[in-house]
Amino acid sequence: MSPKLSMTVKGTVRCLTALYFQFGIKLHNVMDTQIAYSLIEEQEGKKRAYDVYISFVSLLADPRYCGMPYPEKEEVRTLLRQDPNFWKNRPLSEMMIRAATDDVRFLLNIHEKMMEKLSKVSSWRLAVRSELYCRCFCINDNQQADWPPLPTVPDDIEAEACVPEVDILSLLDVPPGKMGRVIGRKGSSIMAVKESCNVEIHIGGAKGPPDRVFIIGPVKEVRKAEAILRGRMLEF
């Protein structure tokens, strides 16, 4: 088995789209820390939500995972807002090198702490959802035939364990001029579907195909979300 690649959710999106569209490379065996965080929160009895977001700075500061402040990250963000070409400057300053290094060097420790907390069922769900997330924006019309099979339920999960319905990735093509109805005013339509169906929804936009919607979640919930969004497309 190839080594796990630990990444934050935004890092996953940036890397997978760049590697796929520029070089035709597909990411596999990724451990997405954002997905792991949401699964751990669910294990601890908190309401399940696919779009629970925790920044890398907050994750790093959480005593359950690393317990380290990262004030320099905010400074870099401020500089980036002031100069969108900040990371193109050469030579790299010492602060830029530290920030780039710190963005990844703590992930190994966070990965270890998270994997210790995840149950066997949650670990399997993490593997499935991370794999689906890697396909998001990168699948084509061949129904994902060129991707490897999703991880199956491990044999060592106890028979009495409550194994949830497996997640799937669905792609919806949006007719020209209909994306506004799908998204809704300030994202209201998408948010309503997420809340009622408990799925994760991504719009291509600048990250991927602008005329497609990607839905990740349990089969029944995804089908319900599809029906609602198709209904939005038919509204006048």
Side-chain angles (χ1 to χ4, degrees), residues 55-101:
S55 69
F56 177 62
V57 174
S58 298
L59 185 63
L60 194 60
D62 192 319
R64 294 176 298 173
Y65 305 117
C66 207
M68 289 188 60
Y70 192 4
E72 197 168 53
K73 182 70 171 182
E74 296 302 327
E75 183 179 351
V76 170
R77 286 176 176 170
T78 299
L79 293 172
L80 185 58
R81 285 192 292 268
Q82 296 172 351
D83 177 13
N85 294 318
F86 173 75
W87 284 110
K88 293 182 180 179
N89 295 328
R90 294 295 185 273
L92 296 176
S93 68
E94 290 186 8
M95 182 187 69
M96 295 169 73
I97 294 173
R98 286 198 305 272
T101 303

Side-chain angles (χ1 to χ4, degrees), residues 16 23 40 64 71 132 153 155 163 166 178 180 224 226 233:
L16 74 89
F23 304 105
I40 292 171
R64 294 176 298 173
L132 291 176
V153 181
D155 295 333
V163 180
V166 67
K178 298 293 185 179
K224 184 166 67 172
E226 288 174 340
M233 298 177 202

Side-chain angles (χ1 to χ4, degrees), residues 213-231:
V213 174
F214 302 86
I215 310 170
I216 297 176
V219 178
K220 292 180 181 178
E221 297 301 305
V222 167
R223 298 308 180 214
K224 184 166 67 172
E226 288 174 340
I228 295 173
L229 292 177
R230 287 194 176 100

